[in-house]
Amino acid sequence: MAIIETKDLDLYYGTNQALKKINLDINKNEVTALIGPSGCGKSTFLRTLNRMNDLIEIVKVEGKVLFEGKNIYDDYDEIALRKRIGMVFQKPNPFPMSIYDNITYGPKIHGIKDKKVLDEIVEKSLKGAALWDETKDRLKKSALGLSGGQQQRLCIARTLATSPEIILMDEPTSALDPISTSKVEELMDELKKKYTVIIVTHNMQQAGRIADKTAFFLNGEVIEFDATENIFYKPRDKRTEDYITGRFG
Ligand SMILES: Nc1ncnc2c1ncn2[C@@H]1O[C@H](COP(=O)(O)OP(=O)(O)O)[C@@H](O)[C@H]1O
Ligand SMILES: [Mg+2]
């Protein structure tokens, strides 16, 4: 079942058109990877899904993004939207505060004050990000004392804390070492049981390992969107094949 559908989605930065007629259906409880060369619009597309581009003044969006059938560009409260569609960025960006406070930050903004409820959210979110065992004895210590890989899982936990339906990830492992990268990758199978994950990756092997569906972007267009194994082993478009086989990058 599609939880997100984009309909003829165009996006312009001033006069530069960065997205061209994007029509993608993203299924619930799947991992969808967005691949393609640098500058082809992957991050821009990801940001259209929770209206993060609205923060950029010169941006103009046309077309629709339906979330559970409702256009998020109509009258949708952006704060409420970003609670339901969370985002994890390329570089781990924990707040300079304790592990505990990082996770309760969002829930507190949304009005949760009860200490017991907050404690539960912290435990559940850290478990959900496979970070509980490593942090349960140091919750009140600064998040900045964690390793890069732990920090990124903390950022995932922070996103989980507001109970989103969708998690957007923009190259979440590109700043991580191989061991931390595989920890984050291992999380995906668990995450998709409860959430829908849309992940930008420049690493094709990573898309192959974790994604159910893959969309290949080129110059602001989706060239091909299909089950990941079809994109890698039976691409229908010559441009997809050329990219997959490393003829350009
Ligand atoms: N904030 C911005 N202002 C103006 N142009 C931008 C901005 N962000 C991205 N672009 C342009 O949009 C295009 C797509 O960029 P981006 O979505 O970052 O691609 P990718 O994530 O695939 O590398 C590029 O031409 C880029 O220069
Ligand atoms: Mg990008």
Side-chain angles (χ1 to χ4, degrees), residues 73-90:
Y73 284 90
D74 285 345
D75 52 353
Y76 217 114
D77 176 64
E78 282 161 56
I79 305 294
L81 179 70
R82 292 190 197 125
K83 177 179 180 306
R84 302 184 67 194
I85 307 184
M87 191 155 190
V88 175
F89 299 88
Q90 189 164 357

Side-chain angles (χ1 to χ4, degrees), residues 144-177:
L144 302 181
L146 297 170
S147 73
Q150 289 172 325
Q151 288 187 6
Q152 193 60 308
R153 278 178 286 143
L154 178 66
C155 293
I156 293 170
R158 191 173 63 190
T159 302
L160 302 184
T162 56
S163 309
E165 276 108 274
I166 299 187
I167 305 172
L168 309 176
M169 299 188 179
D170 196 350
E171 305 200 21
T173 63
S174 65
L176 304 184
D177 60 80

Side-chain angles (χ1 to χ4, degrees), residues 9-236:
L9 185 69
D10 292 320
L11 183 142
Y12 301 82
Y13 292 108
T15 54
N16 174 26
Q17 185 169 9
L19 296 177
K20 297 168 191 161
K21 296 268 170 289
I22 309 284
N23 290 286
L24 275 189
D25 287 2
I26 310 273
N27 281 344
K28 203 173 152 90
N29 298 111
E30 285 189 352
V31 176
T32 299
L34 313 178
I35 64 167
S38 178
C40 67
K42 305 179 297 294
S43 297
T44 298
F45 176 72
L46 199 70
R47 290 195 300 262
T48 61
L49 303 182
N50 69 349
R51 297 187 54 173
M52 288 286 278
N53 291 311
D54 292 16
L55 308 171
I56 305 169
E57 255 182 43
I58 55 169
V59 163
K60 192 173 83 194
V61 180
E62 287 169 357
K64 289 181 188 169
V65 176
L66 304 180
F67 171 40
E68 296 174 336
K70 198 173 154 207
N71 188 9
I72 66 167
Y73 284 90
D74 285 345
D75 52 353
Y76 217 114
D77 176 64
E78 282 161 56
I79 305 294
L81 179 70
R82 292 190 197 125
K83 177 179 180 306
R84 302 184 67 194
I85 307 184
M87 191 155 190
V88 175
F89 299 88
Q90 189 164 357
K91 245 180 106 229
N93 58 348
F95 305 132
M97 50 179 83
S98 72
I99 294 168
Y100 186 96
D101 290 344
N102 261 274
I103 300 199
T104 56
Y105 190 88
K108 279 182 177 164
I109 286 179
H110 294 287
I112 300 174
K113 293 195 188 80
D114 186 327
K115 166 119 182 5
K116 229 180 113 223
V117 176
L118 291 170
D119 285 352
E120 279 165 17
I121 290 174
V122 168
E123 180 169 346
K124 215 172 118 205
S125 305
L126 285 169
K127 282 183 173 163
L131 192 59
W132 176 247
D133 291 340
E134 291 154 72
T135 55
K136 62 177 190 291
D137 300 322
R138 55 190 287 197
L139 295 176
K140 301 288 172 171
K141 297 255 167 69
S142 172
L144 302 181
L146 297 170
S147 73
Q150 289 172 325
Q151 288 187 6
Q152 193 60 308
R153 278 178 286 143
L154 178 66
C155 293
I156 293 170
R158 191 173 63 190
T159 302
L160 302 184
T162 56
S163 309
E165 276 108 274
I166 299 187
I167 305 172
L168 309 176
M169 299 188 179
D170 196 350
E171 305 200 21
T173 63
S174 65
L176 304 184
D177 60 80
I179 291 172
S180 303
T181 295
S182 48
K183 287 218 161 127
V184 171
E185 287 184 7
E186 281 162 21
L187 255 181
M188 295 297 164
D189 276 339
E190 273 312 303
L191 289 179
K192 76 177 187 190
K193 289 179 190 159
K194 285 200 199 143
Y195 311 94
T196 301
V197 178
I198 306 169
I199 180 171
V200 172
T201 177
H202 66 273
N203 178 331
M204 283 192 274
Q205 285 79 16
Q206 179 167 71
R209 285 191 294 268
I210 65 177
D212 300 288
K213 300 266 170 63
T214 294
F216 170 56
F217 279 70
L218 188 63
N219 297 328
E221 287 179 82
V222 172
I223 302 301
E224 196 164 340
F225 176 52
D226 206 340
T228 299
E229 68 253 32
N230 290 340
I231 294 289
F232 283 89
Y233 300 112
K234 283 181 268 171
R236 281 170 286 136

